[in-house]
Amino acid sequence: MRSVAVAVLGLTLLATVPLVSQRSSPRPATPSTGRQTPAAGRAAPSTGRASPAPGRSAAPRVESAVPFRVGEALTYDVSWSSFLVAGTAVMSVKEKKLSEQSTAYYVVAEARPAALVAKLYSLYYKADSLVDAYGLLSQYGSLYSEEGRRHRFVTTRFDRPGGRANFERKVTTTESTAIPVPPQTQDGLAAFYSLRGRTFKPGERLTIPIVDGSALYSVAVDVGASETVKVPLGQVNALKLNLTIMDAANRPLRKDIALWLSNDARRLPVKVQAQLAVGSFVLALRDAR
């Protein structure tokens, strides 16, 4: 698994992906002169919603209620080990548009290192996803990364009626593959936003299947109690979610990732914390617009 955090949610992915890699590294790509991410949001395979039987009218579709809106932008300070602020991550809802005979939110997360860290190692990450407004399932997701001279672009397109996730990975060459997935499978960033669209009760547990590259994992979410969290934005009352990542055989890979969602109408992700072998990562909300 390239990054355990990739399978949890997009924001943690952006902070931890270069440091917890468990796969063999690909051959370095030819350096790029710019940071132009390949076009995202292209049409994904049909969602496969069945047509109503002859003589029977289709039930009206209702969009999922969500606490976010187009134009929302959340800015986080990223700290790691002895670095008080190692970088900045921004998550934003760019637009809401027609996609795949449906409507989808186009969401983007970007992360850049602070100037001091950038001098040690050049990093840049951009993840995006098309999240269907009806059910909050991902239609498409991608991750573009720059790690020094190595550039990579991975896309995931969901074939819901076929029960597959189709992957394409570009480094120096292009590799394509497809794997069978459960109906509710998400990419990491879409899972992050779908969690915000849920309501939780302390003691509740749910499991979300998530794809990372060409592998399938599951994330168990255990709902804890509300507590006051101090972040750069201020003191926030938030519900703590404890996350456990499991492989295809339901063996736990990581148990020490936590997410705090604010106890208000916006359900803001105010803090993400991950204890990793390379140190402690914390993403703390600095600004919410």
Side-chain angles (χ1 to χ4, degrees), residues 51-255:
S51 301
R56 183 180 301 174
S57 60
R61 299 176 66 216
V62 179
E63 291 188 12
S64 299
V66 295
F68 49 83
R69 55 172 175 75
V70 173
E72 178 188 82
L74 309 177
T75 303
Y76 295 83
D77 288 340
V78 182
S79 62
W80 166 56
S81 294
S82 59
F83 288 94
L84 184 61
V85 178
T88 300
V90 179
M91 298 185 65
S92 54
V93 183
K94 295 294 187 182
E95 62 178 318
K96 185 180 180 182
K97 61 182 181 180
L98 296 176
S99 177
E100 283 305 301
Q101 302 178 7
S102 187
T103 304
Y105 296 96
Y106 178 53
V107 297
V108 176
E110 292 183 272
R112 292 177 172 86
L116 178 60
V117 178
K119 290 181 180 180
L120 300 175
Y121 194 59
S122 176
L123 298 170
Y124 171 74
Y125 296 93
K126 178 180 178 180
D128 66 1
S129 184
L130 280 169
V131 185
D132 199 290
Y134 301 88
L136 301 183
L137 289 175
S138 176
Q139 297 178 357
Y140 162 95
S142 78
L143 172 63
Y144 172 72
S145 63
E146 295 179 8
E147 302 171 16
R149 296 170 60 88
R150 182 180 62 191
H151 297 183
R152 177 188 308 220
F153 184 58
V154 180
T155 63
T156 305
R157 298 179 185 278
F158 289 91
D159 176 4
R160 299 291 177 186
R164 295 188 301 271
N166 300 302
F167 303 97
E168 187 174 271
R169 177 171 170 265
K170 297 179 181 179
V171 187
T172 53
T173 59
T174 299
E175 302 173 3
S176 299
T177 187
I179 64 169
V181 296
Q184 300 300 310
T185 302
Q186 298 276 36
D187 66 73
L189 187 57
F192 191 90
Y193 279 91
S194 69
L195 279 175
R196 293 182 61 191
R198 293 175 176 264
T199 56
F200 299 100
K201 296 180 180 179
E204 179 183 5
R205 178 178 243 227
L206 64 136
T207 302
I208 306 171
I210 296 181
V211 289
D212 168 25
S214 57
L216 177 66
Y217 301 89
S218 60
V219 177
V221 181
D222 290 289
V223 184
S226 295
E227 55 189 56
T228 299
V229 180
K230 186 176 181 180
V231 293
L233 184 68
Q235 291 193 354
V236 182
N237 184 265
L239 189 66
K240 184 179 181 181
L241 306 180
N242 297 294
L243 312 177
T244 301
I245 305 171
M246 296 172 288
D247 63 15
N250 286 323
R251 292 173 299 203
L253 299 174
R254 189 161 299 281
K255 301 179 180 180

